[in-house]
């Protein structure tokens, strides 16, 4: 006989009458279809629990009206509506003898009702029966109990399946009933529904810790296509492995059993867009923070399969999860993704209406954007130009960062940007960011800083390396106050990128006039540059890196810019004034900034070369030349460098030119003032023709700070000695800094003495700020006429970005 109509499923003997009338009608119709006879309401309720597979959206691939259990357990997975199979097998027709085995499974002699407290242990024993039809009936009833418990609208107050022996019995069925797909299907369905409740997950993971072979038996059935068994296996594996509290041990076992090899083929073979997100997320869990699993996935062509999904599918959840997994591999195998056309395929996702999909796509693109490629990227660049003005702060930041990498050292991409509103859009975005900067604090301010940094870096790349470079420089510098503002923020990363951009801009003579005239308050570019140089110099012996930026890089860039701009006489006047101010002329032991830089042992050779070129330029200013010529340490260093011609020919040549200028100046002063004796008394022992032994004092000891050994770091008080004893580095090879691509060394064409031009009055007081030279017929720099005036599109979203503490 069948189960008693009054069968209950909780400890309190609560009757099934609490289930809705709609469910009763559904189960009644199902019983009729299965060949049963209409029964009373109690019979219909029992039949519903015993025979009918409740569908909460998991069984028919349809979205359920109630919230998904998986979604509630794992909010990040968004698996609501996932299913495992749509077809059902008829209930086995048991003989009278077989039915008798179910007679006493849950009967309570006191009230004649059945309850799950007795039913579950009896069903557990029946699942071990030798009769496969009995086993199938028992596991089917167990599945329905598990299904009712996991359904939020139908479950009772307490979980009834709490005995690990139930899990072990289900494991035995997976192992021993491989030739009986219906039993396997119901077994996996039972495990799946048990895992849809947190208590069930805890029960299964505890059982796995006792008997780990549960996972291998699950993996075994991932490849079983019959009766859609693989679907339940995949769903159950995902539920177990993605549990954040206890899933770690199960993930380790799954990796050891090569679960990734069994799951990956389904990316291509599975047709359901609702099961594919589960497969993708299961692969993510297996590959997370595990190089071996990633290698196996790449060898199986996993990334290509994900890219194919992006091309062929349209389900947003699937697309988002695929980009999330690709993001993991963008940091692992970026060249492979680019080679398979990843940038072109991902570009198509940027026009999607889902903000989270666009953001995930942008992050993946940013991670692979620095990989060189010869493929055309116009579509990607066009999409990035549309997103760079987005109101979503993270989207516009990632767009700018990706664009910066794409145009770096890529002439076709630079030319596309310059001919398609790229420069206009970037300049407008930078101006807006600068304007809005004052309105933000904390996280928003940091967010805006990172955005401005990326825009400046992109503009810097566009200022060189293509035929329109000079026009881009002129257009970018139409508003020089923007870049002066960035220098005044004193933020290390902004300083580095802004100085790099200015280094390109000041190479044009026409742009030196706005460079000189631009002011924010009373501060101009020259004063701020020298201020930055002084602050950086004071940090050279304190810390090497500030917020990811090397202090030596800031020093080098400031020296490079000063070297270039001092070819202009009016700027040379300002440089002279600020370098000889008290705070800048008393560095270290009382030296001016360029000499202080030469003394530092931890400054690189290319920086010292640029510093010598700057000193050469400064020697063409009368007052600065007097100041430099009176510095004995400088003269000794120059002589020491000159004697190292074999090891450092370029530096030796620079030192010789500076000493020659000093000698010519002394000669002119002798003729003009007739004071040859006083000059000899001061510098007679430091003439250009002085021998190497003359760099010693009266006790035969070398002067401290007279040179530097380039091959290794030194203290500041061993300059001259190290110059005379340099070793260890192959000085015959040209020194190339890995950090810079600086313009060629600039030598002013002043072979016969200082240039004629306006200088400050030699007797003028230095206690006041110099007055900028007046340009009566100042012409504006050439306008980038080839850039269209179209302002370009923008989007409207919002987000936040983390704040970076600290100031330079």
């Amino acid at each position: 006989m069948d189960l008693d109509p009054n069968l209950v499923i909780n400890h309190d003997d609560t009757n099934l009458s609490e289930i809705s009338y709609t469910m009763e009608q559904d189960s009644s119709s199902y019983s009729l279809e299965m060949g049963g006879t209409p029964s009373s309401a109690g019979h219909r309720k029992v039949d519903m629990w015993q025979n009918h597979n409740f569908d909460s959206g998991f069984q028919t691939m349809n979205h359920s009206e109630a919230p998904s259990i998986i979604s509630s357990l794992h909010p990040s997975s968004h698996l609501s509506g996932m299913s495992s199979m749509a077809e059902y097998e008829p209930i086995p027709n048991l003989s009278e003898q077989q039915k008798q085995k179910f007679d006493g499974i849950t009967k309570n002699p006191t009230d004649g009702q059945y309850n799950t407290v007795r039913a579950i242990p009896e069903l557990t024993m029946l699942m071990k029966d030798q009769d496969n039809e009995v086993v199938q009936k028992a596991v089917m009833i167990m599945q329905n109990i598990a299904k009712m418990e996991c359904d939020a609208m139908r479950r009772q107050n307490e979980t009834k399946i709490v005995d690990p022996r139930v899990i072990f019995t289900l494991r035995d069925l997976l192992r021993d009933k491989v030739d009986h797909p219906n039993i396997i299907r119901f077994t996996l369905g039972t495990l799946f529904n048990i895992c849809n409740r947190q208590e069930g997950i805890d029960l299964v993971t505890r059982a796995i810790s006792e008997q780990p072979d549960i996972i291998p038996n699950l993996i075994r059935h991932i490849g079983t296509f019959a009766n859609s068994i693989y679907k339940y296996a995949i769903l159950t594996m995902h539920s177990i492995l993605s549990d954040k509290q206890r899933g770690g041990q199960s993930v380790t076992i799954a990796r050891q059993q090569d679960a990734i090899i069994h799951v990956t083929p389904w990316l291509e073979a599975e047709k359901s867009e609702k099961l594919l997100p589960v497969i993708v997320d299961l692969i993510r869990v297996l590959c997370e923070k595990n190089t071996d699993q990633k290698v196996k996935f790449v060898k199986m062509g996993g990334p290509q399969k994900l890219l194919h999904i992006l091309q062929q599918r349209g389900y947003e959840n699937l697309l988002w999860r695929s980009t999330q997994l690709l993001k993991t591999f963008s940091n692992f195998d970026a060249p492979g993704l680019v080679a398979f056309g990843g940038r072109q395929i991902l570009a198509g996702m940027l026009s999607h209406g889902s903000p989270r999909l666009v953001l995930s796509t942008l992050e993946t693109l940013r991670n692979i954007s620095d990989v060189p490629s010869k493929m055309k990227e116009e579509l990607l660049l066009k999409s990035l130009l549309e997103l760079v003005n987005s109101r979503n702060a993270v989207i516009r930041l990632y767009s700018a960062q990706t664009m910066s990498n794409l145009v770096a050292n890529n002439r076709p991409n630079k030319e596309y940007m310059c001919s398609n509103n790229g420069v206009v859009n970037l300049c407008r975005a930078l101006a807006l960011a600068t304007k809005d900067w004052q309105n933000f604090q904390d996280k928003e301010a940091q967010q805006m800083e990172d955005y401005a940094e990326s825009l400046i870096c992109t503009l810097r790349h566009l200022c060189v390396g293509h035929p329109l470079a000079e026009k881009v420089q002129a257009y970018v510098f139409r508003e020089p106050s923007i870049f002066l503002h960035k220098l005044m923020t004193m933020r290390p990363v902004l300083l580095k990128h802004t100085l790099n951009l200015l280094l390109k801009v000041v190479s044009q003579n026409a742009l030196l006039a706005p460079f000189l005239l631009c002011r924010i308050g009373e501060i101009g570019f020259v004063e701020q540059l020298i201020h930055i140089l002084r602050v950086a110099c004071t940090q050279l012996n304190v810390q090497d890196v500030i917020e990811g930026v090397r202090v030596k890089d800031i020093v080098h860039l400031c020296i490079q810019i000063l070297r270039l701009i001092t070819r202009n006489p009016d700027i040379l006047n300002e440089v002279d004034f600020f370098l000889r101010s008290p705070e800048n002329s008393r560095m270290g032991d009382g030296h001016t900034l360029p000499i202080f830089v030469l003394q530092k042992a931890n400054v690189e050779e290319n920086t010292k070369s640029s510093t010598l070129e700057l000193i050469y330029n400064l020697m063409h200013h009368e007052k600065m030349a007097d100041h430099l010529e009176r510095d004995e340490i400088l003269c000794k260093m120059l002589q020491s460098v000159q004697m190292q011609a074999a090891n450092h020919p370029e530096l030796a040549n620079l030192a010789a030119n500076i000493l020659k200028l000093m000698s010519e100046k002394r000669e002119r002063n002798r003729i003009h003032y007739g004071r040859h004796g006083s000059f000899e008394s001061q510098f007679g022992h430091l003439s250009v023709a002085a021998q190497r032994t003359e760099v010693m004092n009266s006790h035969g000891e070398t002067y401290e700070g007279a040179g530097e050994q380039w091959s290794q770091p030194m203290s500041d008080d061993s300059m001259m000695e190290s110059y005379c004893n340099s070793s260890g580095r192959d000085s015959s090879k040209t020194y190339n800094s890995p950090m810079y691509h600086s313009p060629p060394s600039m030598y002013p064409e002043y072979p016969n003495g200082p240039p004629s031009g306006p200088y400050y009055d030699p007797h003028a007081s230095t206690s006041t700020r110099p007055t900028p030279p007046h340009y009566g017929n100042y012409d504006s720099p050439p306008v980038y006429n080839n850039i269209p005036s179209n302002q370009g599109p923008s989007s409207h979203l919002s987000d936040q970005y983390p704040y970076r503490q600290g100031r330079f």
Side-chain angles (χ1 to χ4, degrees), residues 176-182 184 221:
D176 301 332
K177 303 296 182 179
V178 177
D179 296 331
H180 299 82
N182 286 337
I184 296 297
H221 293 288

Side-chain angles (χ1 to χ4, degrees), residues 134-353:
V134 172
V135 171
Q136 181 177 339
K137 179 76 176 274
V139 73
M140 182 187 68
I141 297 173
M142 185 70 78
Q143 175 188 258
N144 289 339
I145 294 174
K147 187 179 299 180
M148 187 172 291
E149 287 189 349
C150 78
D151 193 306
M153 298 182 66
R154 303 181 179 100
R155 67 182 175 215
Q156 303 299 317
N157 294 329
E158 297 181 9
T159 302
K160 307 304 181 296
I161 302 178
V162 294
D163 191 344
R165 287 176 293 184
V166 175
I167 308 301
F168 298 144
T169 303
L170 294 172
R171 182 275 318 272
D172 294 339
L173 294 179
L174 293 176
R175 181 191 61 205
D176 301 332
K177 303 296 182 179
V178 177
D179 296 331
H180 299 82
N182 286 337
I183 295 177
I184 296 297
R185 189 189 68 177
F186 285 118
T187 302
L188 288 170
T190 305
L191 275 173
F192 168 68
N193 285 289
I194 290 174
C195 291
N196 279 346
R197 207 172 173 185
Q198 186 60 53
E199 298 89 337
I201 285 281
D202 295 340
L203 175 65
V204 173
T205 52
R206 284 198 303 271
I208 291 173
S209 64
E210 295 180 24
Q211 298 188 16
D213 60 337
I214 296 174
I215 294 293
N217 282 290
L218 268 176
I219 295 173
R220 178 180 186 180
H221 293 288
I222 288 178
T224 305
F225 187 79
N227 292 7
S228 299
I229 287 174
Y230 72 95
K231 296 182 180 180
Y232 260 144
I234 289 173
L235 287 165
T236 306
M237 278 284 293
H238 179 267
S239 297
I240 296 173
L241 300 190
S242 60
D243 181 64
K244 296 186 180 299
Q245 296 180 356
R246 298 175 176 268
Q249 179 186 7
S250 301
V251 171
T252 301
I253 298 172
R255 288 170 176 168
Q256 294 171 350
Q257 298 295 320
D258 286 332
I260 190 76
I261 296 177
H262 295 80
V263 176
T264 300
W266 288 111
L267 287 174
E268 202 168 28
E270 178 55 36
K271 304 303 180 185
S272 170
E273 288 192 346
K274 293 186 178 180
L275 181 61
L276 276 170
V278 185
I279 297 172
V280 172
D281 199 59
L282 179 56
I283 294 171
R284 178 194 62 80
V285 173
L286 291 170
C287 291
E288 193 171 29
K289 298 179 182 179
N290 190 285
T291 303
D292 292 339
Q293 298 296 307
K294 291 177 181 178
V295 170
K296 292 176 182 177
F297 186 70
V298 170
K299 287 183 177 179
M300 295 185 68
Q304 297 96 296
K305 292 179 172 63
L306 292 173
L307 291 173
H308 182 73
I309 287 175
L310 294 181
Q311 286 182 299
Q312 302 296 325
R313 305 289 183 167
Y315 184 37
E316 188 272 348
N317 188 25
L318 173 58
L319 298 178
W320 176 70
R321 291 195 172 279
S322 298
T323 56
Q324 286 289 97
L325 184 54
L326 281 171
K327 182 172 64 176
T328 301
F329 286 90
S330 67
N331 294 318
F332 180 76
D333 185 29
L337 285 180
V338 174
F340 295 126
R343 289 210 286 245
Q344 288 69 31
I345 295 172
L346 288 167
M349 298 292 103
L350 295 178
S351 59
H352 200 280

Side-chain angles (χ1 to χ4, degrees), residues 332-608:
F332 180 76
D333 185 29
L337 285 180
V338 174
F340 295 126
R343 289 210 286 245
Q344 288 69 31
I345 295 172
L346 288 167
M349 298 292 103
L350 295 178
S351 59
H352 200 280
S354 168
R356 69 169 184 170
L357 175 57
V358 172
L359 188 57
S360 178
T361 301
L362 278 172
E363 193 169 359
T364 306
L365 281 167
R366 183 190 62 171
N367 294 343
I368 64 175
S369 59
D370 60 338
V371 178
S373 173
K374 295 183 179 180
M375 299 183 184
K376 292 184 178 181
E377 293 169 328
E378 288 83 355
L379 175 61
L380 174 56
L381 290 171
K382 180 181 179 181
S383 299
L384 293 173
L385 284 174
E386 294 174 356
L387 294 173
V388 78
N389 288 307
S390 168
R391 290 188 178 181
N392 183 309
V394 182
I395 285 180
R396 69 188 180 203
L397 172 61
Y398 288 172
S399 299
Q401 291 174 337
T402 304
M403 206 181 309
S404 177
N405 283 340
L406 289 176
V407 300
N409 302 316
N410 191 311
R411 179 169 173 172
N413 287 350
K414 291 180 181 181
E415 292 176 348
Y416 177 86
M417 290 284 290
C418 293
S419 58
N420 288 272
N421 293 337
V423 178
V424 173
N425 280 350
L426 293 174
C427 288
R428 184 184 71 247
L430 181 60
L432 291 174
T434 303
K435 180 181 178 181
D436 296 339
W437 201 315
Q438 307 301 328
N439 302 326
F440 296 115
Q441 294 180 351
D442 300 332
K443 290 183 179 180
E444 290 84 1
Q446 178 59 51
Q447 190 175 286
M448 192 62 70
E449 177 184 316
D450 294 338
Y451 178 52
E453 166 200 332
S454 303
L455 294 173
I456 293 172
C457 189
T458 307
L459 288 171
R460 175 174 65 89
H461 292 315
L462 293 174
C463 283
V464 291
H466 59 96
L468 297 176
E470 291 189 357
K471 291 184 178 181
V472 172
Q473 294 168 12
Y475 189 88
V476 167
F477 210 58
R478 283 171 50 170
E479 295 187 51
S481 60
I482 293 177
F483 303 101
L484 180 55
H485 172 269
K486 299 301 176 289
L487 294 183
M488 293 173 66
T489 62
M490 295 298 289
R491 300 291 294 152
V493 177
L494 276 179
L495 287 180
K496 180 179 178 180
H497 291 305
T498 304
L499 291 172
N500 262 310
L501 186 144
L502 289 175
L503 189 61
K504 312 297 187 295
V505 168
V506 298
S507 62
Q508 285 196 52
N509 290 329
L511 301 181
L512 290 180
F515 183 91
L516 177 63
L517 293 176
C518 178
R519 292 286 190 276
I520 295 180
E522 295 183 348
I523 299 176
F525 274 105
V526 172
E527 180 178 2
Q528 189 62 25
L529 277 171
I530 294 176
H531 172 71
I532 294 169
L533 178 60
R534 185 180 80 249
V535 173
C537 285
T538 60
Q539 297 295 315
L540 280 173
N541 288 338
V542 179
Q543 49 188 335
D544 294 332
V545 177
I546 301 178
E547 295 183 7
V549 176
R550 297 198 314 166
V551 178
K552 291 186 287 187
D553 294 349
I554 302 297
V555 171
H556 176 85
L557 288 168
C558 289
I559 291 290
Q560 281 279 68
I561 294 173
L562 290 172
R563 173 182 68 85
L564 285 173
I565 62 177
T566 47
R567 70 183 186 272
N568 180 287
D570 297 303
I571 296 179
L572 181 61
N573 279 334
E574 263 199 76
V575 172
D576 161 69
F577 175 83
F578 289 111
L579 282 180
R580 290 192 297 107
S581 64
E583 64 270 19
N584 297 321
S585 61
R586 297 174 184 173
M587 299 292 295
D589 297 329
H591 303 289
T592 192
L593 277 170
I595 301 173
F596 180 82
V597 172
L598 284 179
Q599 284 184 297
K600 304 306 290 183
N602 54 348
V603 172
E604 295 170 348
E605 182 175 333
N606 58 343
T607 304
K608 293 181 182 291

Side-chain angles (χ1 to χ4, degrees), residues 607-626:
T607 304
K608 293 181 182 291
S609 175
S610 297
T611 305
L612 289 174
E613 294 171 14
L614 172 61
I615 293 174
Y616 181 87
N617 291 354
L618 294 175
M619 285 297 299
H620 292 85
H621 189 283
E622 193 69 28
K623 295 182 69 174
M624 180 56 74
D626 291 338

Side-chain angles (χ1 to χ4, degrees), residues 42 67 75 82 138 147 197-198 430 516 649 653 686 712 752 767 788:
M82 279 308 307
K147 187 179 299 180
R197 207 172 173 185
Q198 186 60 53
L430 181 60
L516 177 63
N653 185 50
L686 296 176
Q712 58 187 8
N752 299 319
S767 60

